[in-house]
Amino acid sequence: MVTLIVTTYNSEKYVRQLVELIQELTVPVIISDDGSVDGTPNLLKKIDLPNVCVLLHENMGVSGNRNFALKKVETEYVSFLDADDLIDVAEFVKACRMIDQTNVDVAYFCSRSRTKVEINENNKNDDLLRQLLFFADDSRYSDYYIPTTPWGKFFSMAFLKRHDCEFPPDIHYGEDLIFNLRVATEADQIAIYPWGFYKYRQHKNSTSESMDFSIGENTEKFLKELSKVQIDYHLYGLKVVDSIIEDSIRVLRRKQKRTLDLDNLRRLLVIISKKGLHLSFSKKVFCLLLRYKMYGILKMIVRLKSSTHEINETTNYFVKL
């Protein structure tokens, strides 16, 4: 059986939709609220369903919230749902029935597949790591991908406990990738299905743009955790550069002046760029501009790129994963 963990934080406007969803489910559901300061706790207290357990606690951060809920799971498998997202109930029930007939450490559901996912049995962990790290840049994975998020997957609780797999508590974002990489390096029995049940709601404002924390410090903590994962050094270096570029773009998109963050990211880049990594031309240019503190040019480039990919503020839409 699978327990569905739903994490909430200031999710008042999504609670009604969430209740309508879980009323259709018979599996155990744990709703863990991370110290919301809006009306979320009061709404959750009103939920009276036999299969639902509501946990209200002080703010622990996204990782702490998930780890807290994981300790309450009593079933063989666990899956995750963010309060502002949805799942296709029929497909989720189908997935639950399938997992009851297996004995895997982790099951991945990747509905953007157009063909059967091929993972080399003799090299499955390395293939999974590359997929999780670089699916967007690798033509081998253009027809599907395994999201680096915790949702859209079933994890064996026995496996997670055996390998002490949990979300790193001091990271604001990127914690889900670290968790999934740890799982991928340790898993022996893996199932991958070319269909899914998760519906992710796309927002204009990402967590990194709306929360007030130092991106530079978060990146440093993320890279420290990443270094603990047993992956090929070249892959590690490439992922470090990707993370630095992505986080630099997040800083440049912010309205507040974050020169210190850029300086911290530049320092990390200088360290890793000495390792002779093979980068694409565009990444080399970006790194060169960052390395020589040409922040103004980088900001102009990011603004120009962003203006061509704007998302209508009034539109929230789902992408099925």
Side-chain angles (χ1 to χ4, degrees):
M1 184 176 288
V2 179
T3 292
L4 181 65
I5 290 179
V6 184
T7 52
T8 62
Y9 177 72
N10 291 345
S11 309
E12 181 178 12
K13 66 179 180 179
Y14 300 111
V15 172
R16 172 188 276 183
Q17 189 178 51
L18 174 62
V19 172
E20 291 175 354
L21 170 66
I22 61 179
Q23 282 177 334
E24 299 183 56
L25 299 175
T26 58
V27 301
V29 178
I30 296 176
I31 304 176
S32 186
D33 183 72
D34 195 29
S36 293
V37 294
D38 64 355
T40 302
N42 288 333
L43 292 173
L44 294 180
K45 289 177 183 177
K46 297 178 182 179
I47 297 177
D48 184 20
L49 295 170
N51 61 319
V52 178
C53 171
V54 175
L55 306 175
L56 305 177
H57 52 78
E58 62 183 16
N59 185 266
M60 300 178 177
V62 62
S63 291
N65 193 17
R66 288 175 181 152
N67 291 336
F68 183 78
L70 275 172
K71 294 177 181 177
K72 308 297 181 181
V73 175
E74 297 180 351
T75 56
E76 293 87 351
Y77 288 91
V78 64
S79 191
F80 294 89
L81 170 68
D82 287 346
D84 55 341
D85 294 336
L86 290 174
I87 58 174
D88 183 311
V89 174
E91 295 296 295
F92 181 75
V93 170
K94 174 184 173 182
C96 289
R97 288 172 180 164
M98 293 184 68
I99 203 68
D100 285 341
Q101 300 172 16
T102 68
N103 187 32
V104 296
D105 297 324
V106 57
Y108 299 98
F109 297 86
C110 38
S111 66
R112 290 190 180 181
S113 296
R114 291 193 289 273
T115 58
K116 182 179 179 181
V117 176
E118 296 293 344
I119 295 292
N120 188 324
E121 183 62 27
N122 297 321
N123 200 35
K124 59 180 181 295
N125 296 85
D126 287 343
D127 277 0
L128 273 174
L129 288 172
R130 178 172 286 277
Q131 156 68 170
L132 288 166
L133 286 167
F134 302 112
F135 68 85
D137 299 326
D138 196 322
S139 60
R140 290 188 301 157
Y141 303 111
S142 60
D143 286 347
Y144 74 95
Y145 76 93
I146 299 172
T148 59
T149 55
W151 28 258
K153 306 172 180 65
F154 288 169
F155 301 97
S156 161
M157 285 301 301
F159 166 80
L160 294 181
K161 292 176 181 177
R162 187 165 63 248
H163 294 281
D164 295 321
C165 292
E166 63 176 16
F167 296 89
D170 297 327
I171 301 178
H172 291 287
Y173 67 90
E175 79 294 332
D176 42 8
L177 174 59
I178 297 296
F179 176 81
N180 275 294
L181 289 176
R182 288 175 177 168
V183 170
T185 55
E186 299 290 350
D188 291 322
Q189 301 298 322
I190 298 168
I192 303 178
Y193 301 99
W195 54 272
F197 54 81
Y198 202 90
K199 295 181 179 180
Y200 169 67
R201 189 192 303 266
Q202 291 187 324
H203 294 283
K204 180 181 179 182
N205 295 321
S206 67
T207 301
S208 60
E209 292 171 341
S210 59
M211 292 184 66
D212 185 21
F213 59 82
S214 169
I215 289 181
E217 290 181 9
N218 187 84
T219 305
E220 196 158 8
K221 292 177 181 177
F222 168 78
L223 297 181
K224 183 178 180 180
E225 291 294 331
L226 183 63
S227 68
K228 299 176 184 178
V229 181
Q230 299 300 312
I231 59 178
D232 176 81
Y233 183 78
H234 186 70
L235 291 182
Y236 165 74
L238 291 175
K239 186 58 186 178
V240 168
V241 172
D242 278 0
S243 297
I244 291 173
I245 291 175
E246 290 167 5
D247 289 342
S248 297
I249 291 173
R250 291 185 176 102
V251 174
L252 292 163
R253 281 176 176 166
R254 283 183 162 186
K255 294 180 180 179
Q256 309 99 312
K257 190 175 182 180
R258 296 278 186 171
T259 303
L260 180 60
D261 274 336
L262 289 172
D263 286 342
N264 286 338
L265 291 167
R266 173 188 170 276
R267 176 176 55 81
L268 294 170
L269 178 65
V270 170
I271 294 172
I272 197 66
S273 62
K274 295 178 181 179
K275 307 300 182 181
L277 301 173
H278 301 292
L279 304 176
S280 66
F281 176 76
S282 59
K283 289 180 181 179
K284 285 181 180 178
V285 172
F286 192 101
C287 291
L288 187 66
L289 293 173
L290 180 61
R291 184 168 185 172
Y292 288 98
K293 295 188 175 182
M294 297 181 182
Y295 301 156
I297 297 176
L298 283 173
K299 193 164 188 177
M300 288 176 58
I301 294 173
V302 169
R303 283 184 173 179
L304 180 63
K305 294 287 285 184
S306 297
S307 65
T308 61
H309 295 87
E310 287 186 351
I311 298 175
N312 189 327
E313 287 187 40
T314 62
T315 304
N316 283 330
Y317 57 100
F318 287 102
V319 174
K320 189 173 181 181
L321 300 174

